[in-house]
Amino acid sequence: MNDLHVQPLGPEDLPALRVALDGRSVTDSSQWPARRAELRSLCVPPVYGAFPALPKQVRCEMLHQATVRAMEDARLWSCRVLADGAPVCLMRVFLPASGGPHPVVLHGDGCWHTATDGVIADLLRRGYAFAQFNRVEIAPDMPGPPRPVAALAAWAWGYHRAVDALCQLEALDATRIAVVGHSRGGKAALLAGATDERIALTSANNSGAGGAGCWRGGTTGAETLADITRVFGYWFAPALAQWAGREATLPFDQHFLKALVAPRALLTTEALGDHWANPQGTWVTHQAAQAVFDWLGVPQQLAIRYRAGDHAHTPADWAALLDFADHLWRGAPRPAGLGGPPDSLDGRGPG
Ligand code: GTR
């Protein structure tokens, strides 16, 4: 990436995170829950619309248990997640052969098969369980007539119901649940993590517009609000399209969604050549959200990682997530290579 691809935009151009709606500065961390609730009301309904109703009861029905010889005798559980008796989705849970409770990585992109056998084997070898559902079982990823619930909200709700189910499995450590997704799945994972405090680590890969990217801009050639609402209107609240061309006056930007994760952990993984997913604008929202993590005394809970290359959920991206989880949960050193893109607007290289 070089300067030709970068528009002049910095974190100071985004709406303030620590000025409450009544105009007062948010100075004490005891005010954070109230401000967090305000931020949520400002940035979630206008973009994603309403979530499906919260069920009274979620059940994780065990359908089958197997041993996977090709994965060092890993356990593989097939489950059905039910909300108030109605099926939500199927879920597969891979667990290391023995031990536990294991931290678990929850992935909703079953429709893409980005979690290859090699990726899953690596997770298991490193002592993580891996749970996967297919978000398109919850809401199809196809255009069609207007829907009562937009797809991203339905997919995020699916993550939440899968978390309900995972919390019922004693072999898993419910205090160490990570969620991850790629691109549109990364938008859903970020929304899920921002709105559910049981999720300890949220990770979005190449999530761009409506995810970790900045609506106001960043990378020249990045997908705009007009682009995404024209082609993928069914992912979003219908009213979002009204902001096309007026992004500079939005009362929020995606740093609000990132800040909702604080003080829990958030890692976004980005690709320098993925201009459509706005790698530079993602750095701007990152820097703006970092101020909240710093202020709450947890600067290390927010991380961003850039790699060379294009739009994809690569084994290197999965490894970056596990390295960060090892750091948070197992005392491993903070991984190298976290930080801004090499030609970031403020000139800071990867830290
Ligand atoms: C693109 C879309 C992006 C991104 C991507 C994907 O076509 O414009 O916002 O979500 O699809 O999901 O791979």
Side-chain angles (χ1 to χ4, degrees):
M1 182 145 65
N2 60 46
D3 289 339
L4 289 175
H5 297 298
V6 176
Q7 300 155 5
L9 179 78
E12 65 285 352
D13 298 315
L14 307 189
L17 283 163
R18 285 176 49 207
V19 179
L21 286 174
D22 66 7
R24 289 193 210 161
S25 287
V26 177
T27 51
D28 193 292
S29 57
S30 66
Q31 297 166 276
W32 177 239
R35 178 56 180 156
R36 185 176 175 273
E38 282 187 357
L39 292 173
R40 178 175 172 159
S41 68
L42 285 165
C43 77
V44 173
V47 178
Y48 308 101
F51 279 54
L54 201 60
K56 290 190 186 58
Q57 193 227 19
V58 171
R59 204 154 60 81
C60 183
E61 182 188 2
M62 191 67 68
L63 304 175
H64 187 252
Q65 299 190 327
T67 301
V68 187
R69 297 239 166 80
M71 286 184 185
E72 297 175 16
D73 285 347
R75 291 167 283 171
L76 171 55
W77 296 350
S78 295
C79 315
R80 193 193 329 268
V81 182
L82 299 125
D84 294 333
V88 172
C89 60
L90 295 172
M91 182 168 71
R92 300 208 301 168
V93 186
F94 293 79
L95 299 113
S98 59
H102 299 282
V104 56
V105 175
L106 172 64
H107 181 228
D109 294 340
C111 49
W112 275 338
H113 197 52
T114 45
T116 59
D117 279 2
V119 164
I120 297 173
D122 190 37
L123 270 139
L124 293 167
R125 214 173 291 122
R126 293 176 65 159
Y128 292 86
F130 178 68
Q132 181 166 274
F133 67 100
N134 187 348
R135 55 185 160 73
V136 304
E137 287 179 24
I138 297 157
D141 194 5
M142 301 290 284
R147 312 173 179 199
V149 176
L152 284 168
W155 297 338
W157 179 90
Y159 271 95
H160 295 166
R161 302 295 68 82
V163 168
D164 293 337
L166 294 176
C167 288
Q168 297 172 23
L169 300 177
E170 280 174 14
L172 303 178
D173 180 350
T175 68
R176 288 173 180 171
I177 297 177
V179 295
V180 64
H182 167 64
S183 204
R184 66 197 73 183
K187 306 179 209 297
L190 176 56
L191 177 60
T195 53
D196 189 333
E197 293 184 66
R198 297 171 302 172
I199 294 168
L201 168 57
T202 300
S203 187
N205 188 67
N206 301 182
S207 61
C214 187
W215 289 120
R216 283 168 168 75
T219 303
T220 301
E223 183 173 31
T224 64
L225 195 150
D227 293 329
I228 201 166
T229 52
R230 188 175 58 247
V231 180
F232 296 110
Y234 63 96
W235 291 352
F236 297 101
L240 179 66
Q242 295 169 12
W243 291 96
R246 300 193 291 130
E247 291 87 343
T249 58
L250 273 171
F252 60 87
D253 212 309
Q254 293 301 94
H255 63 314
F256 277 29
L257 196 65
K258 288 184 166 181
L260 292 182
V261 180
R264 294 166 297 124
L266 171 62
L267 168 71
T268 67
T269 44
E270 313 298 338
L272 292 167
D274 187 5
H275 295 182
W276 187 244
N278 197 359
Q280 195 60 244
T282 300
W283 175 233
V284 174
T285 60
H286 172 88
Q287 290 170 290
Q290 183 73 62
V292 162
F293 285 79
D294 291 350
W295 167 68
L296 290 173
V298 290
Q300 74 290 351
Q301 295 279 91
L302 179 63
I304 188 166
R305 188 174 193 282
Y306 286 84
R307 60 163 170 78
D310 242 314
H311 193 65
H313 202 172
T314 69
D317 299 315
W318 287 95
L321 169 58
L322 297 188
D323 291 345
F324 190 54
D326 278 353
H327 167 60
L328 295 173
W329 296 336
R330 296 185 159 146
R334 190 168 171 87
L338 302 178
D343 295 325
S344 65
L345 293 175
D346 69 358
R348 259 170 60 188

